[in-house]
Amino acid sequence: MAGIYIHIPFCKQKCTYCDFHFSTTFETYRLEMIESICFEIQGRKEYLQDKEINTIYFGGGTPSILLESELKLVLNTIYLTFSVSLTAEISIEANPDDISSISLGIWKKNGINRLSIGLQSFKQSDLDWMNRAHSVNESLSCVALAQEHGFENITVDLIYGLPELSMDEWSLHVNRVMEMGVPHLSAYCLTIEDKTALSNWVNKGKINPPNEDTQSDQFAKLLDIIEANGFEQYEISNFSKAGFESQHNSNYWKGEWYMGVGPSAHSFNGTSRSWNIANNRQYIKAFKEHSNYIETEQLSNIDQFNERILIGLRTIYGVRLSELSKLKKITKEFILALNGFKEKRWIKEDNQVLTLTKEGKLRADYIASALFLD
Ligand code: SF4
């Protein structure tokens, strides 16, 4: 079991809060980029060591701007290079302004069976300052259109903790998603990343930084609404109806192998992490010149131990103590810290699996770092 992630590093315009790797000027070399991605897929056949591929994920950037010919080229290259499960989850991230009867038809025809739609907000003034390429009306109509075209497995993204977002507005946004009948929601707290327009505005006092207490209150409100609607929080920021959890992301969180292709994409094979060069022109050049485009870091047992805690504790799958002890001897200090968190009812243990309680989830990063080995 393994996953393939394809990073499409193109966007129509730059969202003011985003620090992902992408370019808005790509028309002159988009085909070269797609061909390079295909070269990478073929050239890394050995990376996943004949494991069956059970998830394929087009992320970015904005993969929903791919032409049908580009999408087909990438998918066919994957099918010809790897053994893909007949029931593989095949996802594409889509922005509302790219969703139409034509694009939905293309995705359906080419085997895409899960849509991840970046709605982010139902407040037009927020979409405007975030420089999103879509309107509230498009957000509202695109999900229904996708459902009419037979897409059942749909997730939408929302952002909370925005500077001018009130509690009532946030509740309205979450409830709107509940009314849409989608089985999955990812909700992210706005973070101010360096070198973004948003960080520049905050530094210059042009926009108020988000209030941390309001962000916590909005997160708590989110948990109340999703619980009342039968969603499960299976990862700190991810909520789903039973059976609609993201298989691709769940594989990441369970420590399964994945290969990321495209500029800036990351890969993991159990003992090492690799990352591709985060520059579109240099990535393409590397394939023309047969030069290196990947850096790799071998993970020590301590690195793997700490990663299992950091990632596992954020999910309902939790952390298996037997898995930790295979990597490193469990120390007295670890047991002491763990017992402290159990007494506070922030961590619970069932059949040697550690998971966070509702209270613990509010302190996930603090708890994980306290359990790390040096
Ligand atoms: S569309 Fe997505 S990847 Fe592109 S700039 Fe906006 S948030 Fe970033």
Side-chain angles (χ1 to χ4, degrees):
M1 186 158 77
I4 294 181
Y5 170 83
I6 306 108
H7 189 81
I8 304 298
F10 306 145
C11 289
K12 285 183 189 164
Q13 57 194 58
K14 194 177 173 76
C15 301
T16 52
Y17 57 89
C18 177
D19 73 340
F20 290 169
H21 172 71
F22 65 91
S23 167
T24 53
T25 51
F26 53 84
E27 285 305 337
T28 53
Y29 65 88
R30 62 186 292 162
L31 183 57
E32 278 180 291
M33 174 58 74
I34 300 303
E35 285 171 350
S36 301
I37 286 173
C38 292
F39 284 137
E40 183 180 357
I41 293 166
Q42 290 164 329
R44 294 180 70 196
K45 182 175 167 51
E46 307 308 324
Y47 184 80
L48 296 174
Q49 295 186 5
D50 293 333
K51 284 180 184 283
E52 184 177 58
I53 305 303
N54 72 326
T55 66
I56 297 174
Y57 190 101
F58 286 87
T62 312
S64 52
I65 59 180
L66 286 179
L67 304 172
E68 182 174 16
S69 56
E70 296 165 341
L71 184 69
K72 268 188 164 158
L73 195 56
V74 176
L75 279 171
N76 286 341
T77 308
I78 292 173
Y79 292 132
L80 289 171
T81 311
F82 292 94
S83 160
V84 179
S85 160
L86 288 175
T87 57
E89 176 191 88
I90 307 180
S91 311
I92 191 165
E93 289 177 354
N95 280 346
D97 46 304
D98 292 325
I99 296 179
S100 66
S101 290
I102 295 174
S103 58
L104 290 163
I106 289 172
W107 298 333
K108 192 105 208 156
K109 192 169 78 178
N110 286 282
I112 303 285
N113 51 31
R114 184 172 188 270
L115 298 182
S116 172
I117 306 177
L119 302 182
Q120 316 309 0
S121 173
F122 293 107
K123 187 175 167 189
Q124 190 59 49
S125 58
D126 280 343
L127 294 179
D128 291 342
W129 76 254
M130 290 194 283
N131 200 34
R132 297 287 303 171
H134 60 94
S135 64
V136 169
N137 284 343
E138 285 170 317
S139 295
L140 290 171
S141 60
C142 69
V143 172
L145 190 63
Q147 288 164 329
E148 279 167 27
H149 280 73
F151 283 95
E152 189 190 1
N153 197 351
I154 299 175
T155 178
V156 300
D157 286 358
L158 287 180
I159 305 179
Y160 63 94
L162 299 171
E164 304 294 332
L165 183 70
S166 70
M167 282 298 286
D168 284 349
E169 287 167 338
W170 173 240
S171 298
L172 186 84
H173 293 185
V174 181
N175 280 315
R176 273 210 171 142
V177 168
M178 299 295 111
E179 286 158 16
M180 285 174 157
V182 294
H184 191 287
L185 163 69
S186 299
Y188 301 104
C189 185
L190 180 73
T191 50
I192 300 177
E193 305 293 347
D194 284 348
K195 298 183 189 153
T196 57
L198 177 60
S199 101
N200 190 23
W201 293 337
V202 169
N203 291 339
K204 288 185 174 157
K206 287 187 179 170
I207 196 165
N208 290 326
N211 178 299
E212 283 184 18
D213 289 340
T214 310
Q215 289 182 326
S216 299
D217 290 347
Q218 290 184 353
F219 183 61
K221 174 57 80 180
L222 166 72
L223 299 188
D224 289 346
I225 299 176
I226 58 113
E227 200 175 308
N229 282 276
F231 280 67
E232 179 158 43
Q233 184 185 19
Y234 71 107
E235 195 266 350
I236 293 278
S237 307
N238 286 279
F239 311 90
S240 87
K241 289 274 174 80
F244 287 95
E245 299 81 5
S246 161
Q247 290 176 40
H248 186 79
N249 290 336
S250 295
N251 283 351
Y252 288 161
W253 300 324
K254 289 175 184 169
E256 302 289 349
W257 292 27
Y258 58 88
M259 182 176 84
V261 297
S264 81
H266 285 58
S267 305
F268 174 69
N269 69 355
T271 54
S272 74
R273 288 199 177 281
S274 308
W275 54 96
N276 289 359
I277 192 163
N279 180 299
N280 289 359
R281 296 279 183 193
Q282 287 176 25
Y283 174 79
I284 291 170
K285 197 165 165 234
F287 289 95
K288 287 191 175 147
E289 297 178 353
H290 305 287
S291 57
N292 185 38
Y293 58 91
I294 308 185
E295 280 188 69
T296 299
E297 177 194 22
Q298 289 300 325
L299 299 173
S300 67
N301 281 17
I302 292 183
D303 292 335
Q304 291 179 56
F305 186 102
N306 292 346
E307 273 201 7
R308 284 314 307 139
I309 289 174
L310 182 68
I311 300 171
L313 277 185
R314 291 176 63 89
T315 70
I316 53 164
Y317 315 118
V319 184
R320 231 167 244 294
L321 283 171
S322 57
E323 211 183 315
L324 292 180
S325 58
K326 268 187 219 155
L327 291 165
K328 209 72 198 161
K329 190 167 180 286
I330 304 280
T331 61
K332 275 188 200 151
E333 291 76 16
F334 179 91
I335 298 288
L336 210 60
L338 178 59
N339 287 341
F341 292 136
K342 282 190 200 162
E343 272 166 31
K344 288 187 167 122
R345 298 185 192 282
W346 292 353
I347 285 187
K348 58 182 188 316
E349 182 182 332
D350 283 318
N351 288 326
Q352 296 238 306
V353 178
L354 307 177
T355 49
L356 293 180
T357 62
K358 200 170 178 182
E359 279 296 300
K361 284 176 190 166
L362 301 171
R363 304 163 174 86
D365 289 343
Y366 165 73
I367 295 170
S369 59
L371 294 173
F372 283 171
L373 296 182
D374 293 328

Tab-separated table of all heavy atoms in Angstrom, residues 7-8 10-22 24 60-62 93 95 120 130-133, ligand 1:
chain	number	residue	atom	x	y	z
A	7	HIS	N	2.381	17.313	-7.441
A	7	HIS	CA	2.277	18.750	-7.149
A	7	HIS	C	2.216	19.536	-8.452
A	7	HIS	O	3.166	19.529	-9.233
A	7	HIS	CB	3.476	19.218	-6.320
A	7	HIS	CG	3.312	20.612	-5.805
A	7	HIS	ND1	2.579	20.908	-4.678
A	7	HIS	CD2	3.729	21.804	-6.301
A	7	HIS	CE1	2.572	22.207	-4.476
A	7	HIS	NE2	3.258	22.786	-5.453
A	8	ILE	N	1.081	20.197	-8.687
A	8	ILE	CA	0.921	21.030	-9.888
A	8	ILE	C	1.197	22.476	-9.465
A	8	ILE	O	0.359	23.107	-8.806
A	8	ILE	CB	-0.507	20.874	-10.481
A	8	ILE	CG1	-0.801	19.390	-10.780
A	8	ILE	CG2	-0.662	21.745	-11.726
A	8	ILE	CD1	0.101	18.730	-11.809
A	10	PHE	N	1.070	25.527	-10.365
A	10	PHE	CA	0.503	26.665	-11.097
A	10	PHE	C	-0.711	27.206	-10.343
A	10	PHE	O	-1.507	26.413	-9.829
A	10	PHE	CB	-0.006	26.230	-12.481
A	10	PHE	CG	0.983	25.516	-13.350
A	10	PHE	CD1	0.555	24.496	-14.197
A	10	PHE	CD2	2.324	25.869	-13.365
A	10	PHE	CE1	1.450	23.831	-15.025
A	10	PHE	CE2	3.224	25.206	-14.186
A	10	PHE	CZ	2.787	24.184	-15.020
A	11	CYS	N	-0.861	28.521	-10.325
A	11	CYS	CA	-2.092	29.142	-9.794
A	11	CYS	C	-2.456	30.313	-10.685
A	11	CYS	O	-1.579	30.960	-11.250
A	11	CYS	CB	-1.893	29.649	-8.364
A	11	CYS	SG	-1.757	28.317	-7.159
A	12	LYS	N	-3.751	30.604	-10.772
A	12	LYS	CA	-4.200	31.744	-11.586
A	12	LYS	C	-3.739	33.055	-10.961
A	12	LYS	O	-3.397	33.994	-11.649
A	12	LYS	CB	-5.727	31.761	-11.645
A	12	LYS	CG	-6.334	30.726	-12.538
A	12	LYS	CD	-7.837	30.943	-12.535
A	12	LYS	CE	-8.516	29.802	-13.238
A	12	LYS	NZ	-9.950	29.762	-12.939
A	13	GLN	N	-3.810	33.131	-9.649
A	13	GLN	CA	-3.382	34.342	-8.955
A	13	GLN	C	-2.902	33.958	-7.561
A	13	GLN	O	-3.135	32.839	-7.103
A	13	GLN	CB	-4.509	35.373	-8.902
A	13	GLN	CG	-5.785	34.880	-8.260
A	13	GLN	CD	-6.949	35.809	-8.537
A	13	GLN	OE1	-7.291	36.066	-9.701
A	13	GLN	NE2	-7.563	36.333	-7.484
A	14	LYS	N	-2.223	34.920	-6.919
A	14	LYS	CA	-1.557	34.619	-5.653
A	14	LYS	C	-2.470	34.985	-4.483
A	14	LYS	O	-2.788	36.168	-4.302
A	14	LYS	CB	-0.274	35.467	-5.601
A	14	LYS	CG	0.722	35.099	-4.561
A	14	LYS	CD	1.947	36.018	-4.753
A	14	LYS	CE	2.959	35.856	-3.659
A	14	LYS	NZ	3.774	34.684	-3.727
A	15	CYS	N	-2.878	34.022	-3.696
A	15	CYS	CA	-3.671	34.329	-2.504
A	15	CYS	C	-2.742	34.986	-1.480
A	15	CYS	O	-1.588	34.572	-1.330
A	15	CYS	CB	-4.301	33.059	-1.937
A	15	CYS	SG	-5.382	32.242	-3.123
A	16	THR	N	-3.262	35.974	-0.779
A	16	THR	CA	-2.385	36.833	0.032
A	16	THR	C	-1.780	36.138	1.252
A	16	THR	O	-0.837	36.652	1.844
A	16	THR	CB	-3.164	38.066	0.519
A	16	THR	OG1	-4.363	37.603	1.144
A	16	THR	CG2	-3.508	38.983	-0.633
A	17	TYR	N	-2.347	35.001	1.664
A	17	TYR	CA	-1.884	34.328	2.881
A	17	TYR	C	-1.019	33.101	2.568
A	17	TYR	O	-0.518	32.449	3.466
A	17	TYR	CB	-3.102	33.864	3.706
A	17	TYR	CG	-4.024	32.961	2.909
A	17	TYR	CD1	-3.851	31.587	2.878
A	17	TYR	CD2	-5.052	33.500	2.131
A	17	TYR	CE1	-4.679	30.768	2.128
A	17	TYR	CE2	-5.883	32.695	1.373
A	17	TYR	CZ	-5.687	31.331	1.374
A	17	TYR	OH	-6.492	30.530	0.622
A	18	CYS	N	-0.838	32.786	1.275
A	18	CYS	CA	-0.314	31.472	0.891
A	18	CYS	C	1.201	31.479	0.694
A	18	CYS	O	1.738	32.341	-0.001
A	18	CYS	CB	-1.001	31.033	-0.402
A	18	CYS	SG	-0.380	29.459	-1.006
A	19	ASP	N	1.875	30.478	1.277
A	19	ASP	CA	3.322	30.349	1.038
A	19	ASP	C	3.667	29.011	0.384
A	19	ASP	O	4.790	28.541	0.479
A	19	ASP	CB	4.115	30.530	2.343
A	19	ASP	CG	3.990	29.332	3.267
A	19	ASP	OD1	3.027	28.551	3.108
A	19	ASP	OD2	4.861	29.172	4.129
A	20	PHE	N	2.677	28.384	-0.268
A	20	PHE	CA	2.968	27.142	-0.996
A	20	PHE	C	3.820	27.462	-2.213
A	20	PHE	O	3.913	28.618	-2.636
A	20	PHE	CB	1.680	26.455	-1.461
A	20	PHE	CG	0.883	25.865	-0.333
A	20	PHE	CD1	-0.401	25.405	-0.547
A	20	PHE	CD2	1.402	25.760	0.950
A	20	PHE	CE1	-1.150	24.864	0.486
A	20	PHE	CE2	0.668	25.217	1.992
A	20	PHE	CZ	-0.620	24.767	1.752
A	21	HIS	N	4.365	26.403	-2.818
A	21	HIS	CA	5.164	26.633	-4.020
A	21	HIS	C	4.269	26.616	-5.261
A	21	HIS	O	3.603	25.612	-5.545
A	21	HIS	CB	6.250	25.559	-4.171
A	21	HIS	CG	6.926	25.674	-5.488
A	21	HIS	ND1	7.777	26.715	-5.791
A	21	HIS	CD2	6.805	24.961	-6.628
A	21	HIS	CE1	8.165	26.609	-7.031
A	21	HIS	NE2	7.584	25.548	-7.568
A	22	PHE	N	4.258	27.746	-5.995
A	22	PHE	CA	3.470	27.823	-7.233
A	22	PHE	C	3.946	29.033	-8.031
A	22	PHE	O	4.677	29.892	-7.521
A	22	PHE	CB	1.965	27.989	-6.912
A	22	PHE	CG	1.656	29.291	-6.233
A	22	PHE	CD1	1.314	30.411	-6.959
A	22	PHE	CD2	1.748	29.403	-4.855
A	22	PHE	CE1	1.051	31.630	-6.336
A	22	PHE	CE2	1.485	30.615	-4.226
A	22	PHE	CZ	1.137	31.729	-4.967
A	24	THR	N	2.389	31.971	-11.049
A	24	THR	CA	1.203	32.446	-11.773
A	24	THR	C	1.523	32.727	-13.246
A	24	THR	O	0.644	33.101	-14.006
A	24	THR	CB	0.659	33.746	-11.122
A	24	THR	OG1	1.732	34.676	-11.033
A	24	THR	CG2	0.087	33.485	-9.746
A	60	GLY	N	-1.560	21.093	-5.015
A	60	GLY	CA	-0.793	22.206	-5.600
A	60	GLY	C	-0.631	23.367	-4.651
A	60	GLY	O	-0.699	23.185	-3.438
A	61	GLY	N	-0.490	24.584	-5.255
A	61	GLY	CA	-0.914	24.948	-6.582
A	61	GLY	C	-2.404	24.688	-6.828
A	61	GLY	O	-3.172	24.508	-5.925
A	62	THR	N	-2.713	24.674	-8.072
A	62	THR	CA	-4.118	24.497	-8.465
A	62	THR	C	-4.236	23.448	-9.571
A	62	THR	O	-4.232	23.789	-10.761
A	62	THR	CB	-4.718	25.843	-8.965
A	62	THR	OG1	-4.398	26.873	-8.034
A	62	THR	CG2	-6.224	25.754	-9.104
A	93	GLU	N	-7.503	18.502	-6.049
A	93	GLU	CA	-7.875	19.755	-5.393
A	93	GLU	C	-8.443	20.679	-6.466
A	93	GLU	O	-7.853	20.806	-7.549
A	93	GLU	CB	-6.649	20.412	-4.757
A	93	GLU	CG	-6.137	19.660	-3.538
A	93	GLU	CD	-4.880	20.283	-2.954
A	93	GLU	OE1	-4.327	21.236	-3.552
A	93	GLU	OE2	-4.430	19.800	-1.904
A	95	ASN	N	-10.437	24.549	-7.255
A	95	ASN	CA	-10.971	25.829	-6.802
A	95	ASN	C	-12.342	26.044	-7.430
A	95	ASN	O	-12.579	25.611	-8.572
A	95	ASN	CB	-10.001	26.964	-7.168
A	95	ASN	CG	-8.857	27.047	-6.174
A	95	ASN	OD1	-8.919	26.457	-5.089
A	95	ASN	ND2	-7.811	27.768	-6.531
A	120	GLN	N	-12.905	28.068	1.470
A	120	GLN	CA	-12.225	28.968	2.440
A	120	GLN	C	-13.163	29.875	3.212
A	120	GLN	O	-13.020	30.025	4.404
A	120	GLN	CB	-11.116	29.822	1.764
A	120	GLN	CG	-10.217	29.090	0.795
A	120	GLN	CD	-9.601	27.795	1.324
A	120	GLN	OE1	-9.849	27.416	2.450
A	120	GLN	NE2	-8.827	27.087	0.508
A	130	MET	N	-8.278	38.158	0.607
A	130	MET	CA	-7.404	36.970	0.460
A	130	MET	C	-6.978	36.766	-0.996
A	130	MET	O	-6.173	35.922	-1.298
A	130	MET	CB	-8.119	35.713	0.973
A	130	MET	CG	-8.288	35.703	2.489
A	130	MET	SD	-8.744	34.075	3.129
A	130	MET	CE	-10.457	33.993	2.718
A	131	ASN	N	-7.603	37.586	-1.886
A	131	ASN	CA	-7.327	37.490	-3.330
A	131	ASN	C	-7.646	36.105	-3.887
A	131	ASN	O	-6.936	35.576	-4.748
A	131	ASN	CB	-5.871	37.861	-3.648
A	131	ASN	CG	-5.699	38.235	-5.113
A	131	ASN	OD1	-6.600	38.805	-5.726
A	131	ASN	ND2	-4.551	37.906	-5.699
A	132	ARG	N	-8.737	35.527	-3.390
A	132	ARG	CA	-9.184	34.263	-3.955
A	132	ARG	C	-9.771	34.547	-5.344
A	132	ARG	O	-10.309	35.624	-5.588
A	132	ARG	CB	-10.270	33.630	-3.063
A	132	ARG	CG	-9.781	33.266	-1.667
A	132	ARG	CD	-8.886	32.066	-1.651
A	132	ARG	NE	-9.512	30.888	-2.223
A	132	ARG	CZ	-8.855	29.752	-2.486
A	132	ARG	NH1	-7.553	29.657	-2.254
A	132	ARG	NH2	-9.475	28.709	-2.983
A	133	ALA	N	-9.672	33.571	-6.236
A	133	ALA	CA	-10.110	33.802	-7.613
A	133	ALA	C	-11.606	33.533	-7.807
A	133	ALA	O	-12.105	33.599	-8.922
A	133	ALA	CB	-9.305	32.910	-8.561
B	1	SF4	S1	-4.938	28.807	-5.029
B	1	SF4	FE1	-4.122	27.624	-3.289
B	1	SF4	S2	-1.950	27.228	-3.762
B	1	SF4	FE2	-2.686	28.858	-5.159
B	1	SF4	S3	-2.118	30.762	-4.140
B	1	SF4	FE3	-4.220	30.314	-3.537
B	1	SF4	S4	-4.048	29.122	-1.615
B	1	SF4	FE4	-2.017	29.136	-2.591
